[in-house]
Every structure is written in structure tokens, then in C-alpha cells.
Amino acid sequence: MYEMKPEYKTGIDFIDKEHEQLFTIANRAYQLLKNEFIPDKYDYIVEVIEELKAYTKYHFEHEEEYMLSKGYKRLLSQKVAHDEFINKIQSYSTEHIDENQREVLLGLLALLNDWLIEHIYKADKLIAEVNQ
């Protein structure tokens, strides 16, 4: 379902490679939702969320360092968006995940879908403008 298509590329190699990993994580969450052979998905959901927490922190730090080094004018708005995303991921409670696995997966996929489309496709592509 999630694929890093050419229109999502910024033209900045390391950012594009890191974005590909976010698409991979989103695809794993989608495949987990569709997998009917795993009745209790709690451990897998927690694993995906923990990976997202760690990877987005890593990625956002790289992206923000790059923007700072280039004097990117929208750095502050990027940092705010990054922090909001991290806060949303951090807000998942293990109790809520356990009791509402399908609902949590659907919510997580909606969050990822919005992020991949709204942030990467629109906001992150603007970063490449500083290279021109």
C-alpha cells in the first residue's frame, strides 16, 4: 500500500533514503492490519510504534541538522511539525493498544498516511529549494 514514488523524492539523497524507511514502516503496519492469521497483534503493534519513535527521532534530527546547515527559513515550522508527530506517537498507551488493536492500527495508519502525504510530499519537498 505504501510506496516511495518519485513524486515524494526531495532530491536530497539521505532524506529520500530515510523517507523510504518511513514508507517501509507504514507498509508493515498496513500488512499487520490485513493479516488475519495473527489474532493478537499487540506485540507487533508495540514493535511498530517503538520503531517509529526511534526512527522518527533519528530522521528528524538529521533533517533538522541539514536544514540548519543550509539556513532553511522554514526550520522552525518543520521542528514544530516534527515535535507534534513525535508527541502523537508517544501518546499511544500500551493499555489502549491491548484493548483496541484494530482501532489503534487504523489510527496509526491514518497518522502515517497524513504524514507521508502532507508533510513529506508538501513540506519536505520545499527543503530542496535551498539547494538551488
Side-chain angles (χ1 to χ4, degrees), residues 78-102:
Q78 282 272 17
K79 287 177 75 74
V80 168
H82 291 167
D83 290 346
E84 286 176 5
F85 184 86
I86 287 172
N87 288 337
K88 287 177 184 176
I89 295 296
Q90 300 277 2
S91 72
Y92 282 95
S93 75
T94 53
E95 184 177 304
H96 182 73
I97 294 168
D98 196 28
E99 295 172 1
N100 306 288
Q101 293 178 15
R102 181 170 176 74

Side-chain angles (χ1 to χ4, degrees), residues 4-127:
M4 179 76 172
K5 296 179 181 175
E7 59 264 26
Y8 289 98
K9 294 196 182 246
T10 63
I12 304 164
D13 288 339
F14 85 92
I15 290 177
D16 291 338
K17 285 181 179 148
E18 290 179 8
H19 285 168
E20 283 179 25
Q21 182 62 27
L22 291 173
F23 276 86
T24 299
I25 296 168
N27 205 38
R28 281 192 24 238
Y30 177 76
Q31 294 303 322
L32 182 57
L33 175 69
K34 294 298 180 187
N35 190 332
E36 297 175 14
F37 298 106
I38 304 174
D40 184 0
K41 300 176 182 186
Y42 173 81
D43 290 334
Y44 300 100
I45 296 169
V46 170
E47 185 179 301
V48 167
I49 290 171
E50 290 302 315
E51 184 177 4
L52 269 174
K53 286 178 186 178
Y55 196 77
T56 53
K57 184 175 187 274
Y58 165 83
H59 168 61
F60 294 160
E61 285 175 3
H62 279 156
E63 202 171 78
E64 289 169 12
E65 286 172 11
Y66 178 80
M67 289 185 278
L68 183 61
S69 75
K70 297 294 184 180
Y72 187 61
K73 294 177 184 174
R74 293 184 176 106
L75 174 59
L76 183 58
S77 64
Q78 282 272 17
K79 287 177 75 74
V80 168
H82 291 167
D83 290 346
E84 286 176 5
F85 184 86
I86 287 172
N87 288 337
K88 287 177 184 176
I89 295 296
Q90 300 277 2
S91 72
Y92 282 95
S93 75
T94 53
E95 184 177 304
H96 182 73
I97 294 168
D98 196 28
E99 295 172 1
N100 306 288
Q101 293 178 15
R102 181 170 176 74
E103 176 188 310
V104 167
L105 276 171
L106 288 170
L108 184 61
L109 287 167
L111 174 64
L112 287 166
N113 193 58
D114 288 347
W115 185 261
L116 296 173
I117 291 170
E118 293 301 317
H119 188 79
I120 291 175
Y121 183 69
K122 294 180 180 174
D124 283 353
K125 287 190 76 156
L126 296 175
I127 299 168

